[in-house]
Amino acid sequence: GAVVSQHPSRVICKSGTSVKIECRSLDFQATTMFWYRQFPKQSLMLMATSNEGSKATYEQGVEKDKFLINHASLTLSTLTVTSAHPEDSSFYICSARAAGSSNQPQHFGDGTRLSIL
Amino acid sequence: DAKTTQPPSMDCAEGRAANLPCNHSTISGNEYVYWYRQIHSQGPQYIIHGLKNNETNEMASLIITEDRKSSTLILPHATLRDTAVYYCIVRSGGFTSGTYKYIFGTGTRLKVLA
């Protein structure tokens, strides 16, 4: 089945640090990847849609300068949390959908738990 | 906003069938229904999806009503490992417009009891 790998699985760092999270589709090409954030006991909240070779589309209320997204290839998207602060601590999850298959499901990574001290 | 509503929680005895309902009364004619589950501290796991016909795979069965306004996910013989939050999702946006995306609702927290 389709596999999405996310790295790192956990990050703990000091306030003010920038953190990069990678999302890779291992056995399929993904023209579109999605980034979500999940706070404890809450549902997933879509942050942005990452399109290969073009700018990401951010959801309302998500700061694009704070959460930088790069989707430079058909198998890799990155999310960089810039100048992270304690309120950015959360569970970040990516997903990917195979190219050319509009109704096929998204496949999710196992998430990155970010803790800012 | 999510286009689906689900009960917040359900219990099921181990070995029995778990039937998880979902309402999606505003679904459009060409929109699929997708089911995922999330076990604590992991990413959502794909279960099954369908358009209008009932679907079955090695994990579950999906029953979609004839008017497509609701569906039921059936886990035929629930085990303790099926304890998770189950999400029913109808895709938002259109593929050709590039706005296709999932909006997650609150899901159903299924607890399988020994």
Side-chain angles (χ1 to χ4, degrees), chain A residues 32-36 44-51 56-62 95-97 101-108, chain B residues 1-4 27-28 30-34 36 88-105:
Chain A
T32 306
M33 291 183 173
F34 304 85
W35 288 95
Y36 299 81
L44 283 75
M45 184 191 77
L46 179 65
M47 299 175 66
T49 302
S50 167
N51 299 296
T57 302
Y58 290 82
E59 294 299 302
Q60 190 172 10
V62 178
S95 71
R97 180 173 53 82
S101 56
S102 60
N103 292 314
Q104 289 301 308
Q106 294 180 23
H107 295 278
F108 288 80
Chain B
D1 290 345
K3 298 172 72 172
T4 62
I27 193 169
S28 299
N30 62 349
E31 290 180 324
Y32 281 68
V33 180
Y34 301 84
Y36 290 79
C88 166
I89 300 167
V90 172
R91 190 185 72 202
S92 293
F95 174 72
T96 54
S97 69
T99 61
Y100 152 93
K101 57 190 178 185
Y102 288 170
I103 302 298
F104 280 77

Side-chain angles (χ1 to χ4, degrees), chain B residues 71-109:
Chain B
S71 60
T72 301
L73 179 75
I74 300 173
L75 308 178
H77 305 287
T79 71
L80 298 179
R81 289 178 297 178
D82 292 323
T83 293
V85 178
Y86 286 77
Y87 294 101
C88 166
I89 300 167
V90 172
R91 190 185 72 202
S92 293
F95 174 72
T96 54
S97 69
T99 61
Y100 152 93
K101 57 190 178 185
Y102 288 170
I103 302 298
F104 280 77
T106 53
T108 295
R109 187 172 296 276

